[in-house]
Amino acid sequence: MKPLYVLIRDTLKRDIHSQKYQVGSLIPSERELAEKYQVTRATVQKAIAQLEQEGLVKKIVGKGTYVNRAVSQPTYLLNPGGEGSSLGVTHELRGKVTITSRLIYHVHQPAGELLNSQFGVPENEPVHAIRRVRLFDNVPVMIEDSYIPLAIVSDIDDEILQNHSLYAFIEQNCGQKIGGSDALVSASLFDKEMAALLEITANSPMLHIKESTWLEDGTVFNYSWSYNRGDLFRMRSRKSLFPKKLG
């Protein structure tokens, strides 16, 4: 049997979809819902929190909970195969969504101590420093910071960064395939500056990914930090304790 908060969430969701509660209108208060379903307010709060995470409702302190939209926001699965992908989000979600980028900056800077340890280059070695907001179907969903040594890719046109796959460009430029990547995933919250870039409220949930990516000869060519909307992204991890049998 489903938990009570799930039943309440699903009932409210159906009422929103059927326009019993229309966009911009208030849903019943937590107290009213708790009395109606004979549950605690904590149970109701858990149901509403999930609706809020899906973008269906929005709580305003002192006023109540409003219907924000009638259809749940889409969610995107990173690493859909579960075993790791090094080809970038453009490749992973190809055909499922239209991906474009808004270039915030593209400058050259010294590698410094951090990038020296990532690329194994002198600290004064110049690197591309790139920040982009990635948009899925014109909705800003993530911020990407990428660092690429000029010694590996001397020139990257801004048009590539805004309208094409950076990794496809790297492969073509270097004449090598992407060899692999190493990623560290953590949870965080968006500060005001980053939230403004994504047109969301500060302290919204974030899926933060630090990633080093290398070419097939083992050369690390990209060190990136991506700041993904926690309400839109999921990540899959799959492990096998035994190798698959062949034949």
Side-chain angles (χ1 to χ4, degrees), residues 11 13 26 41 49 70 95 115 145 172 177 179 215 236 246:
T11 300
K13 188 182 293 188
L26 282 167
R41 288 187 66 172
L115 299 178
D145 290 342
Q172 182 179 13
K177 295 294 184 183
L215 298 168
R236 174 173 291 156
L246 300 176

Side-chain angles (χ1 to χ4, degrees), residues 229-242:
R229 284 181 53 175
D231 60 330
L232 297 185
F233 287 94
R234 303 291 182 266
M235 181 169 257
R236 174 173 291 156
S237 177
R238 181 174 61 196
K239 296 180 180 178
S240 177
L241 299 179
F242 302 97

Side-chain angles (χ1 to χ4, degrees), residues 132-206:
R132 298 184 291 173
V133 173
R134 310 302 302 275
L135 299 94
F136 290 5
D137 292 334
N138 293 319
V139 176
V141 298
M142 71 169 74
I143 300 166
E144 279 187 350
D145 290 342
S146 299
Y147 301 93
I148 302 169
L150 269 72
I152 296 176
V153 184
S154 60
D155 185 54
I156 303 175
D157 192 281
D158 287 352
E159 198 271 336
I160 294 291
L161 296 173
Q162 294 181 93
N163 300 308
H164 300 282
S165 166
L166 176 59
Y167 280 11
F169 172 78
I170 297 291
E171 286 188 332
Q172 182 179 13
N173 191 277
C174 295
Q176 295 189 53
K177 295 294 184 183
I178 307 299
S181 65
D182 181 39
L184 177 65
V185 183
S186 59
S188 188
L189 299 173
F190 283 101
D191 61 21
K192 287 185 178 180
E193 178 187 356
M194 287 195 168
L197 289 175
L198 294 181
E199 301 170 14
I200 57 177
T201 57
N203 296 318
S204 295
M206 174 203 295

Side-chain angles (χ1 to χ4, degrees), residues 73-177:
Q73 296 180 116
T75 56
Y76 304 104
L77 185 63
L78 299 174
N79 190 23
E83 296 176 346
S85 172
S86 304
L87 298 176
V89 68
T90 302
H91 182 272
E92 288 183 352
L93 298 174
R94 183 175 54 191
K96 299 176 183 177
V97 65
T98 299
I99 301 177
T100 54
S101 300
R102 184 165 71 239
L103 185 62
I104 305 302
Y105 60 73
H106 174 201
V107 299
H108 296 166
Q109 68 178 49
E113 185 176 352
L114 174 62
L115 299 178
N116 158 263
S117 65
Q118 292 295 323
F119 297 124
V121 298
E123 292 187 16
N124 62 355
E125 184 83 12
V127 300
H128 297 276
I130 302 162
R131 168 166 284 190
R132 298 184 291 173
V133 173
R134 310 302 302 275
L135 299 94
F136 290 5
D137 292 334
N138 293 319
V139 176
V141 298
M142 71 169 74
I143 300 166
E144 279 187 350
D145 290 342
S146 299
Y147 301 93
I148 302 169
L150 269 72
I152 296 176
V153 184
S154 60
D155 185 54
I156 303 175
D157 192 281
D158 287 352
E159 198 271 336
I160 294 291
L161 296 173
Q162 294 181 93
N163 300 308
H164 300 282
S165 166
L166 176 59
Y167 280 11
F169 172 78
I170 297 291
E171 286 188 332
Q172 182 179 13
N173 191 277
C174 295
Q176 295 189 53
K177 295 294 184 183

